[in-house]
Amino acid sequence: MRELFFKLFEMSHFDTGISITAFSISHIIYMILIIGGIVAGHFLLRNSTPEKKNKVLGILINLLVLSYISDFFVHEFVYGTPSEPGGLNMDKLPFHICTVLCPLSAFVQYNKKFEKIKEPIVILSILAPLMYLCYPASIGDGEPWCYQAVQTMFYHGILLAWGILNITLSQIKPDIKKCYKSAIVLVGITLWAKLGNVLLEHNWFFLNEDAFYIGLVEGGIIPQWSLMIINPIVFFLAVLAVYGIYYLVLHIKGKIAQKKANA
């Protein structure tokens, strides 16, 4: 049985040499499937009742949590062999922004006490997985259909879908006056990741080395402490960009509606 599980979760089943690298065919196919699924989900649900929309978003969160928690039970088989077991993949602990958004998104989906931070969590749930999906640098060298690749892309795709659909289905209506909440959440995530880095000596939220691993800290180009300032600022600027896109879409829709009314 143990050998069977190593076989099921191995990185390569057919020795094709194909893997998901940035902007490769397999990467583009995954992006098309994820974006296509989100677009289809929007059009299928746009005329549904608020209750049905919320139920579907709850299902997405359930799938996200199931994918995240169940993954820890198979690390032994995914990242090792019968002779050299893999053990825990530290990168999957909830200190990266994408992984910590799993419990945070579940809290804001199901607990009214977290309603005050739902807007920043939704916006970050768009930005963080989108950044990863656009440049999946740490997905590994397994084949596109192996468990590691499928689970990683599925997790980020579901998180992205939940974030986008919350806005497009009007479950939340972003308000630029509340952007400060995103800044507060980002500071909290940064401090949380720093705690994990100090205690467990890892590179969560890329606070020890830059996200592209081009050696900006190791090469002495920037001091390590500056990443605690640079990273949340970069994310906050991206948050402002999301608000800008949202208001631009509203403006365009208003212009179209006005033209139809005057026609």
Side-chain angles (χ1 to χ4, degrees):
M1 178 66 75
R2 181 173 168 81
E3 288 73 16
L4 173 61
F5 268 65
F6 277 108
K7 187 68 177 176
L8 289 173
F9 292 99
E10 66 184 1
M11 299 294 186
S12 175
H13 296 287
F14 305 107
D15 296 322
T16 62
I18 303 173
S19 62
I20 302 177
T21 55
F23 315 115
S24 63
I25 295 297
S26 52
H27 177 212
I28 293 171
I29 291 174
Y30 263 112
M31 290 296 289
I32 292 172
L33 291 173
I34 291 169
I35 295 172
I38 294 171
V39 172
H42 168 75
F43 282 104
L44 287 171
L45 293 167
R46 61 178 177 170
N47 296 321
S48 300
T49 63
E51 292 76 19
K52 184 174 181 180
K53 292 175 182 178
N54 192 58
K55 183 177 180 179
V56 172
L57 291 171
I59 291 172
L60 289 179
I61 287 299
N62 293 344
L63 290 173
L64 184 77
V65 172
L66 177 63
S67 173
Y68 183 66
I69 294 177
S70 63
D71 183 54
F72 285 98
F73 290 89
V74 296
H75 284 190
E76 174 89 350
F77 311 107
V78 177
Y79 303 105
T81 64
S83 58
E84 296 182 12
L88 176 68
N89 180 356
M90 295 283 286
D91 223 32
K92 296 292 186 82
L93 291 176
F95 292 99
H96 269 312
I97 187 167
C98 284
T99 51
V100 77
L101 282 171
C102 178
L104 290 177
S105 61
F107 289 148
V108 300
Q109 178 68 33
Y110 288 117
N111 195 324
K112 294 296 182 182
K113 294 180 180 179
F114 291 87
E115 188 70 26
K116 292 182 179 179
I117 62 168
K118 185 170 184 177
E119 185 171 314
I121 298 303
V122 165
I123 293 175
L124 291 176
S125 293
I126 295 173
L127 290 173
L130 184 60
M131 289 179 179
Y132 180 85
L133 290 169
C134 287
Y135 192 79
S138 60
I139 197 169
D141 56 1
E143 292 174 330
W145 44 81
C146 76
Y147 169 82
Q148 182 196 22
V150 172
Q151 191 277 335
T152 302
M153 300 302 276
F154 177 83
Y155 175 88
H156 288 86
I158 290 291
L159 183 59
L160 177 63
W162 179 81
I164 290 177
L165 291 176
N166 258 293
I167 294 179
T168 64
L169 297 178
S170 300
Q171 295 302 101
I172 70 159
K173 296 181 179 180
D175 182 356
I176 188 66
K177 295 177 182 177
K178 298 179 181 178
C179 69
Y180 70 92
K181 292 185 178 182
S182 294
I184 294 172
V185 171
L186 282 168
V187 169
I189 290 174
T190 302
L191 294 175
W192 173 246
K194 185 62 177 179
L195 175 64
N197 290 345
V198 171
L199 294 178
L200 300 173
E201 298 183 341
H202 203 67
N203 186 31
W204 286 297
F205 200 30
F206 306 106
L207 298 179
N208 292 344
E209 186 54 270
D210 63 276
F212 296 103
Y213 290 99
I214 58 178
L216 294 181
V217 172
E218 186 178 0
I221 299 173
I222 60 173
Q224 187 181 92
W225 61 263
S226 67
L227 292 174
M228 286 194 68
I229 300 173
I230 294 172
N231 290 0
I233 287 178
V234 168
F235 264 93
F236 184 67
L237 291 175
V239 167
L240 295 180
V242 171
Y243 279 107
I245 293 170
Y246 175 74
Y247 283 114
L248 177 61
V249 171
L250 288 184
H251 176 73
I252 294 172
K253 288 177 68 175
K255 288 289 187 180
I256 293 173
Q258 187 177 17
K259 285 183 179 181
K260 289 182 178 179
N262 295 332

